[in-house]
């Protein structure tokens, strides 16, 4: 998986008027803040903690500090009551998503011990130490009225796995947003002529995800193939035999041809620092280009497995979806549904071209194909099924008007017969049934490709959408 440069901002809030009135209250709250810092740092190590912000002056300075540190997300820990005027300048100047942590230090106040205190000043100090919920409505009101986007987590500082699982998901979503913001997506070749649903506005991709899109020529890859040594080719053939289950009929010549292209792909990725790739090339009349593009599947499968997802048919939107899924550690294999099994109530999904061999059920087979249907040439292809168990589907959907949204579904990859035709193939069962899944999924107008990954991660995708300002629709 691609490394993230995510930086997390953290600060606590309080009211400076309290510190002189209630002994050790500030130190106690700072101790709570240290606990929060440690827990977040255990999830992601790069945490910028600016301590307790208790005056407007400190708030302005904190906002500037977060901007200098280039934080991607801020966790605002509400330790006790604080004036909204001491909070707003921080988030206004930082201009990044804000997660409000409304965390109680314990499950409940010890009422008997509290009421037995003889000193009412001490009682008030103790009350203020449990007063984290008090200013949250004030903050929510002010954030709403000033256009600050925020999200809330309400729970306990200790012994609350539900709360801290949610924190973890926000951190993971922010990490993926950061990866997408710096990802370099290569687009090699051109669209599949007439496949209108996959055409996309590249500027909208920048608007939604950030990153950089590099337009590449197949000629460059063909040229790189010419400089590959025979020794390197033999080593790559051995790697193929280690990573794949090479089937009978795969000739030495085809394996060497695929190895040459695989090594050239590695160089292309290195030269352009690519984190993902979308490609398609019709390939007519130019032998070098045809030879390159018809031997690309194994190399692209290896790239996908090592965190550089490759989408065929120049499906840029799906390259983005695959990168998102892979960045969450779920894989993200290129797929489409092509048939239904009403007897088993499953949807058959797969695709020709590269597959995510790291999420395959068993070892991925390599088969020779005498024809690439709808495409030029012949060569080696991969055949795999996604690991049996929970899966998540993701489609980056371009809506009427150009705005992007995320379409999500959770289901199960189940065992059963597949079509052994040298393509990726899997059987998927959905909680709403195959018939309704297909109707509901289609109703949102996605392209016919999507990314499939292992595990149920829709809640993480929902959070990613909120961080990126994208609508997220969950079908099931």
């Amino acid at each position: 998986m691609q490394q993230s440069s995510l930086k997390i901002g953290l600060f606590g809030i309080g009211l400076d008027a309290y510190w002189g009135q209630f002994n050790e209250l500030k130190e106690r709250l700072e101790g709570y803040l240290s606990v929060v810092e440690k827990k977040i740092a255990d999830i992601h190590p790069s945490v910028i903690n600016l301590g307790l912000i208790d005056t407007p002056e400190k708030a302005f300075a904190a906002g500037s500090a977060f901007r200098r540190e280039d934080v991607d997300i801020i966790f605002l820990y509400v330790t006790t009551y604080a004036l909204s005027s001491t909070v707003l300048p921080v988030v206004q100047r930082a201009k990044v998503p804000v997660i409000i942590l409304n965390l109680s230090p314990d499950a409940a106040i010890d009422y008997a011990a509290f009421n037995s205190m003889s000193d009412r000043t001490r009682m008030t100090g103790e009350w203020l130490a449990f007063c984290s919920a008090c200013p949250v409505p004030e903050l929510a009101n002010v954030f709403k009225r000033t256009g600050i986007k925020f999200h809330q987590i309400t729970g306990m500082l200790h012994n609350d796995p539900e709360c801290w699982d949610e924190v973890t998901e926000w951190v993971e979503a922010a990490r993926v947003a950061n990866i997408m913001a710096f990802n370099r997506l290569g687009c090699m070749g051109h669209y599949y002529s007439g496949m209108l649903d996959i055409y996309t506005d590249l500027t909208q991709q920048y608007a939604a995800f950030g990153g950089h899109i590099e337009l590449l020529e197949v000629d460059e890859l063909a040229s790189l193939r010419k400089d590959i040594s025979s020794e390197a080719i033999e080593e790559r053939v051995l790697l193929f035999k280690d990573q794949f289950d090479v089937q009978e009929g795969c000739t030495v010549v085809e394996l060497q041809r695929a190895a040459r292209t695989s090594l050239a792909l590695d160089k292309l990725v290195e030269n352009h620092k690519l984190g993902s790739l979308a490609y398609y090339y019709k390939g007519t009349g130019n032998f070098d280009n045809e030879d390159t593009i018809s031997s690309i599947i194994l190399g692209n499968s290896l790239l996908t497995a090592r965190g550089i997802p490759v989408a065929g048919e120049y499906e840029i939107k799906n390259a983005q979806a695959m990168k998102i899924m892979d960045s969450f550690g779920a894989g993200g294999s290129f797929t489409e549904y092509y048939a239904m099994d009403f007897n088993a109530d499953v949807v058959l999904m797969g695709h020709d071209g590269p597959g995510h061999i790291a999420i395959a059920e068993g070892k991925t087979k390599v088969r020779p194909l005498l024809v690439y249907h709808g495409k030029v040439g012949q060569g080696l292809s991969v055949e795999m099924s996604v690991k049996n168990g929970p899966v998540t589907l993701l489609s980056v959907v371009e809506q009427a008007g150009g705005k992007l949204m995320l379409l999500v579904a959770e289901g199960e990859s189940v065992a059963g017969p597949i079509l052994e035709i040298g393509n990726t193939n899997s059987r998927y069962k959905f909680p709403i049934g195959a018939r309704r899944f297909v109707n509901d999924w289609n109703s949102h107008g996605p392209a016919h490709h999507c990314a499939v990954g292992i595990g149920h991660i829709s809640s993480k995708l929902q959070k990613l959408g909120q961080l990126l300002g994208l609508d997220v629709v969950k079908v099931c």
Side-chain angles (χ1 to χ4, degrees):
M1 283 190 302
Q2 185 173 325
Q3 292 300 307
S4 164
S5 59
L6 175 70
K7 288 185 179 180
I8 298 171
L10 170 67
F11 71 108
I13 58 173
L15 186 59
D16 65 336
Y18 292 155
W19 314 143
Q21 296 175 320
F22 307 104
N23 291 335
E24 299 181 353
L25 175 61
K26 183 181 181 183
E27 291 75 16
R28 183 174 176 182
L29 300 181
E30 287 172 334
Y32 295 157
L33 181 59
S34 295
V35 172
V36 172
E37 180 184 10
K38 184 180 184 309
K39 284 178 176 285
I40 294 176
D42 286 343
I43 304 167
H44 183 83
S46 185
V47 180
I48 312 299
N49 181 5
L50 298 186
L52 278 180
I53 306 300
D54 54 12
T55 66
E57 293 75 19
K58 289 181 181 178
F60 281 104
S64 296
F66 281 145
R67 287 179 69 171
R68 285 194 305 274
E69 293 287 350
D70 193 27
V71 299
D72 298 273
I73 190 171
I74 289 173
F75 283 93
L76 189 177
Y77 173 44
V78 184
T79 60
T80 187
Y81 178 75
L83 293 167
S84 49
S85 64
T86 66
V87 180
L88 183 61
V90 182
V91 298
Q92 273 188 318
R93 290 190 62 76
K95 290 181 169 54
V96 296
V98 180
I99 312 296
I100 298 175
L101 298 178
N102 176 10
L103 307 180
S104 175
D106 287 301
I109 299 170
D110 185 336
Y111 303 105
F114 182 90
N115 290 327
S116 68
M117 290 182 181
S118 57
D119 184 336
R120 294 198 177 277
T121 300
R122 282 188 59 225
M123 291 176 74
T124 303
E126 184 69 15
W127 167 62
L128 287 171
F130 278 85
C131 207
S132 58
C134 179
V136 177
E138 178 176 342
L139 298 178
N141 173 280
V142 172
F143 287 177
K144 281 279 190 182
R145 290 166 64 190
T146 56
I148 302 293
K149 290 186 178 181
F150 67 96
H151 313 282
Q152 301 177 67
I153 299 176
T154 299
M156 297 180 290
L157 191 59
H158 302 287
N159 304 316
D160 191 349
E162 179 182 348
C163 163
W164 288 99
D165 286 348
E166 192 171 0
V167 172
T168 298
E169 288 201 347
W170 278 112
V171 171
E172 289 186 9
R175 182 181 56 79
V176 173
N178 175 270
I179 288 173
M180 296 301 291
F182 291 95
N183 183 53
R184 291 176 60 88
L185 164 64
C187 297
M188 184 175 68
H190 55 79
Y191 287 115
Y192 194 116
S193 181
M195 201 176 281
L196 306 183
D197 60 326
I198 65 172
Y199 298 178
T200 190
D201 179 348
L202 296 188
T203 304
Q204 281 296 329
Q205 299 295 324
Y206 278 106
F209 302 111
H212 173 75
I213 298 174
E214 187 73 17
L215 302 182
L216 304 171
E217 301 289 348
V218 175
D219 307 65
E220 181 180 357
L221 182 61
S223 178
L224 288 170
R225 290 178 83 240
K226 297 177 180 179
D227 296 327
I228 305 299
S229 70
S230 56
E231 293 80 9
I233 289 172
E234 292 308 313
E235 287 181 11
R236 184 54 52 101
V237 169
L238 291 175
L239 179 65
F240 286 163
K241 292 179 178 179
D242 177 67
Q243 294 293 307
F244 299 101
D245 181 3
V246 179
Q247 299 292 290
E248 186 177 348
C250 297
T251 66
V252 172
V253 170
E254 285 294 351
L255 286 167
Q256 290 174 340
R257 197 163 69 92
R260 181 183 293 277
T261 303
S262 176
L263 290 159
L265 280 165
D266 289 353
K267 287 192 174 184
L268 184 77
V269 165
E270 182 182 356
N271 291 348
H272 294 282
K273 298 180 174 59
L274 301 182
S276 54
L277 177 67
Y279 80 100
Y280 174 74
Y281 188 71
K282 185 176 290 186
T284 55
N286 182 312
F287 173 79
D288 286 340
N289 288 352
E290 287 184 38
D291 195 40
T292 298
I293 217 70
S294 62
S295 57
I296 203 169
I297 292 174
L298 270 61
N300 282 343
S301 297
L302 290 181
L303 286 176
T304 300
R306 73 171 217 242
I308 304 167
V310 181
E313 296 178 355
Y314 209 70
E315 177 47 298
I316 292 163
K317 298 190 299 296
N318 208 36
Q320 301 281 54
M322 292 165 68
K323 185 66 178 181
I324 289 169
M325 295 296 287
D326 196 76
S327 297
F328 273 119
S333 198
F334 191 86
T335 195
E336 65 187 17
Y337 62 77
Y338 58 85
M340 301 172 69
D341 181 337
F342 287 97
N343 291 328
D345 194 30
V346 299
V347 181
L348 305 179
M349 302 183 72
H351 208 278
D352 62 345
H356 200 311
I357 63 175
I359 62 168
E361 180 71 26
K363 209 166 189 179
T364 298
K365 293 181 172 63
V366 175
R367 294 191 186 276
L369 295 183
L370 296 180
V371 62
Y372 291 136
H373 65 276
K375 302 174 177 71
V376 171
Q378 63 182 44
L380 302 180
S381 188
V382 299
E383 180 180 288
M384 58 158 272
S385 291
V386 170
K387 286 179 182 177
N388 293 162
V391 295
T392 301
L393 306 184
L394 173 64
S395 178
V396 173
V397 181
E398 186 163 347
Q399 304 172 91
K403 184 172 172 55
L404 303 181
M405 62 168 274
L406 304 181
L407 184 62
V408 180
E410 292 182 340
E412 303 285 326
S413 173
V414 296
I418 63 166
L419 307 181
E420 298 176 2
I421 56 174
N423 296 167
T424 61
N425 277 277
S426 293
R427 300 164 63 87
Y428 297 107
K429 187 174 282 288
F430 297 95
I432 58 176
R435 189 190 308 262
R436 184 177 164 192
F437 163 75
V438 167
N439 286 340
D440 287 2
W441 184 267
N442 289 347
S443 71
H444 297 286
H448 65 287
H449 304 128
C450 65
V452 59
I454 56 175
H456 286 166
I457 65 165
S458 66
S459 59
K460 297 178 183 180
L461 293 169
Q462 290 275 3
K463 291 176 174 63
L464 176 65
Q466 291 180 68
L467 293 178
L468 296 177
L470 300 178
D471 292 336
V472 181
V473 174
K474 182 181 178 183
V475 168
C476 58

